[in-house]
Amino acid sequence: MPEQDDADREFDLKWADSAEHKEPSARARMLAERWKHDPPGPVPFRPEPEGRAPRRSSWISTAVVLGCVVAVILVLGYLNFRAPY
């Protein structure tokens, strides 16, 4: 089979894209047939994962981080206060 040059290939793509009737993919046809008899139920956008504990508030994380920073500042200040020059 001879190779098509770019002009012929471009023509074929334009011809295919301008088709009035476009056949759905096999998966789309399969799902459409299945959903005729058994339509899918509503699904939340991001369901909660199974077997996972709910997340804690971000305020707790913030308080822990700020508490650690304050503790480090106090320890460094205490060590600097006690250190002889």
Side-chain angles (χ1 to χ4, degrees):
M1 180 170 158
E3 292 293 322
Q4 292 180 334
D5 61 348
D6 289 336
D8 290 339
R9 188 175 313 141
E10 184 176 340
F11 174 75
D12 288 345
L13 289 175
K14 287 180 184 177
W15 176 78
D17 288 340
S18 67
E20 291 181 25
H21 177 72
K22 295 186 180 187
E23 185 175 334
S25 67
R27 178 163 175 75
R29 290 191 309 266
M30 177 194 70
L31 290 175
E33 185 65 30
R34 182 183 301 167
W35 291 345
K36 269 188 213 175
H37 305 293
D38 185 25
V43 177
F45 175 68
R46 264 190 202 183
E48 195 65 35
E50 295 291 327
R52 195 168 170 203
R55 291 183 56 171
R56 293 184 296 179
S57 171
S58 64
W59 289 107
I60 294 173
S61 304
T62 304
V64 169
V65 169
L66 289 177
C68 290
V69 169
V70 168
V72 167
I73 290 172
L74 290 176
V75 166
L76 291 176
Y78 176 75
L79 291 176
N80 194 20
F81 180 71
R82 291 191 38 133
Y85 289 102

